[in-house]
Amino acid sequence: MKRKLSLALVLLSINALASTITIDENSLINISKNTSVPQLDKIRATMLLAESQSGEANDALGVEVYGVYNSIRTKEKAIIAQIPVFSPITQYQVGIKKNFKYGLQANIYTTIDNRGTENGTYENIYTTTQALELNLDLWKDAFGRVTKRKLENVELVTKQSKIQADINEKVFRLTLRRIYWSLVANQEKINISKNLYKTALKQAKDARKRKANSIADASEVARYESQVAARNGSVLLLGFEKENILKQLRTMLPDLSTKDIQLGKYSLNKTLFEVLACTS
């Protein structure tokens, strides 16, 4: 029974250690970089959407290679011998299309037509056609005014989305730092309030001793006990504030939602020196 109890305690200790994470300013930034963060994912998705739209607009001006194959066969008989019915007919076409931002569309293609007659009068009649087609829109997209503006707009939107994504990521990490230092400030307040609470307990105890020795009256004891209650209330309030700060942190970094978050070591003097060095 003792062995089972010891094993259970060991497992509980391991689970407790596994669910506890010690954080500092740098570790929070690393977590945001190396894990899936919904807020950052949304920022990156917006940027990728803009890049995708830019790619689609540029693809519309890309080179298109195409090929066409037709095979026609009929059992129709010629009504007039001098006008034969050709069958089978085989046609091949290979071409290249290119759209330009000035509203011009170019199409270069080669067509091969091979035909004959069923009775063998005509066989392997080849006709090769090479052509260049140029189409210019003079109404909706005269000289590419619409196309050029669309491309310029897409390019500007892409640049804007990248800049905005960079700004949003920096704001996100600045918010993480702010939350971290709010935790540090809260912890310092808790430490001070706990020390004040201990001092108030000692003062109240001394006051009760003095009253027992008829040195202090009941009002003095009541005043110190009231101070004890106030100091304890401050500690509880700060604990509530700490939980709200941790809630914000877990919302920003969902990977911490199941973790017991503990503050790592920090140096206020070092941080103050770094801040002063940056502002000097």
Side-chain angles (χ1 to χ4, degrees):
M1 182 65 183
K2 288 183 178 180
R3 288 183 180 178
K4 291 182 179 180
L5 182 60
S6 300
L7 181 60
L9 290 173
V10 170
L11 291 174
L12 286 173
S13 300
I14 292 174
N15 289 334
L17 289 172
S19 62
T20 300
I21 184 170
T22 301
I23 62 168
D24 57 26
E25 187 176 6
N26 292 329
S27 68
L28 287 179
I29 300 301
N30 289 333
I31 291 171
S32 70
K33 290 180 179 179
N34 300 325
T35 61
S36 177
V37 180
Q39 192 171 338
L40 289 180
D41 290 344
K42 184 178 180 181
I43 293 169
R44 291 163 187 155
T46 302
M47 182 183 67
L48 291 174
L49 177 61
E51 290 179 350
S52 174
Q53 291 173 345
S54 175
E56 289 177 0
N58 288 315
D59 287 344
L61 299 180
V63 177
E64 178 186 350
V65 179
Y66 67 93
V68 179
Y69 168 78
N70 289 320
S71 179
I72 305 171
R73 187 178 294 272
T74 181
K75 293 183 178 180
E76 182 182 353
K77 301 298 181 181
I79 300 175
I80 304 173
Q82 289 76 16
I83 305 177
V85 175
F86 289 97
S87 177
I89 300 173
T90 305
Q91 295 174 331
Y92 307 88
Q93 188 180 82
V94 178
I96 298 175
K97 286 182 180 179
K98 171 75 169 116
N99 293 322
F100 296 89
K101 64 181 180 179
Y102 301 103
L104 178 68
Q105 182 188 66
N107 182 16
I108 302 174
Y109 62 90
T110 298
T111 302
I112 299 175
D113 185 289
N114 179 21
R115 62 182 62 197
T117 57
E118 293 284 354
N119 58 15
T121 304
Y122 301 97
E123 291 184 354
N124 295 326
I125 300 175
Y126 283 94
T127 303
T128 302
T129 304
Q130 294 177 335
L132 169 63
E133 293 181 353
L134 297 175
N135 298 315
L136 183 63
D137 190 338
L138 296 177
W139 180 248
K140 293 183 179 179
D141 191 18
F143 302 104
R145 288 180 300 177
V146 176
T147 301
K148 284 189 291 184
R149 287 176 184 174
K150 182 179 179 181
L151 289 172
E152 289 170 358
N153 181 62
V154 168
E155 185 178 354
L156 288 174
V157 169
T158 302
K159 289 181 179 179
Q160 180 185 2
S161 66
K162 289 180 179 179
I163 294 171
Q164 190 63 49
D166 187 55
I167 292 172
N168 289 342
E169 286 192 23
K170 284 181 170 57
V171 169
F172 179 85
R173 294 194 169 99
L174 282 173
T175 304
L176 275 183
R177 289 188 169 95
R178 179 184 61 78
I179 290 176
Y180 170 76
W181 287 108
S182 295
L183 273 176
V184 171
N186 176 267
Q187 187 60 49
E188 288 295 310
K189 291 178 183 178
I190 288 175
N191 293 339
I192 293 171
S193 294
K194 284 183 176 179
N195 288 332
L196 291 174
Y197 176 65
K198 290 177 181 178
T199 301
L201 285 174
K202 184 178 179 181
Q203 290 174 339
K205 183 178 179 181
D206 291 341
R208 285 192 292 271
K209 286 182 179 179
R210 289 196 301 273
K211 181 185 176 185
N213 294 326
S214 300
I215 300 174
D217 57 12
S219 62
E220 184 178 353
V221 174
R223 185 172 66 254
Y224 282 113
E225 288 181 346
S226 174
Q227 184 175 260
V228 169
R231 301 299 187 197
N232 186 44
S234 296
V235 172
L236 294 175
L237 179 61
L238 289 169
F240 176 74
E241 290 178 359
K242 180 179 180 179
E243 289 303 317
N244 282 336
I245 297 172
L246 290 175
K247 183 179 179 181
Q248 294 178 39
L249 184 58
R250 291 188 176 102
T251 300
M252 294 186 69
L253 299 176
D255 275 20
L256 301 180
S257 59
T258 59
K259 304 289 186 181
D260 179 21
I261 302 172
Q262 300 293 332
L263 273 176
K265 293 182 179 180
Y266 55 87
S267 173
L268 293 179
N269 291 332
K270 180 182 177 182
T271 303
L272 181 60
F273 176 77
E274 291 175 350
V275 172
L276 291 175
C278 290
T279 56
S280 61

